Amino acid sequence: MAKTVEDFNNLDELFEYLGVPEDKTKDLTDDMRGTVLTTFKRNLNMSPVNLETDIKLSKEIMLDCIELVELQESGVVFHQKGGCSSGGGCSGCGNH
């Protein structure tokens, strides 16, 4: 059976499995860690990448998720088709 995110007891085990450097994760709050995990699961599921066999690509997805969450926490708003990440759609975010 293929390895899944649920096979890990916690996010730190997943970081270790993927080889994510500690300097990329040490400043993540508990809330940010939850968001990173949710974002990683979503992005991994939307890609053809297999967590067990594509560790390098899985690590890249994780690093992108960490960066995305850090940017969102800093107040950066991402505008995308269907609404921005601030919720409620871009027309209500007040950033344009």
Side-chain angles (χ1 to χ4, degrees):
M1 179 175 228
K3 190 170 273 298
T4 68
V5 173
E6 286 73 23
D7 292 332
F8 297 91
N9 292 320
N10 56 55
L11 189 56
D12 289 323
E13 282 186 6
L14 182 57
F15 287 153
E16 185 177 331
Y17 175 78
L18 296 174
V20 176
E22 186 178 326
D23 67 317
K24 298 289 186 186
T25 64
K26 67 180 176 167
D27 294 330
L28 295 175
T29 65
D30 287 343
D31 287 343
M32 290 170 71
R33 293 167 75 82
T35 304
V36 166
L37 182 58
T38 300
T39 304
F40 177 72
K41 285 180 182 179
R42 182 195 67 221
N43 292 355
L44 187 65
N45 287 335
M46 291 182 351
S47 76
V49 174
N50 179 299
L51 181 61
E52 188 171 24
T53 59
D54 301 322
I55 294 175
K56 183 178 179 183
L57 292 174
S58 296
K59 177 181 177 180
E60 288 178 27
I61 291 171
M62 177 62 82
L63 291 171
D64 287 346
C65 292
I66 292 169
E67 184 176 347
L68 174 67
V69 169
E70 289 175 336
L71 286 171
Q72 287 174 324
E73 286 293 316
S74 73
V76 173
V77 176
F78 295 91
H79 299 277
Q80 53 195 345
K81 184 177 180 181
C84 69
S85 63
S86 66
C90 283
S91 62
C93 74
N95 288 308
H96 36 156

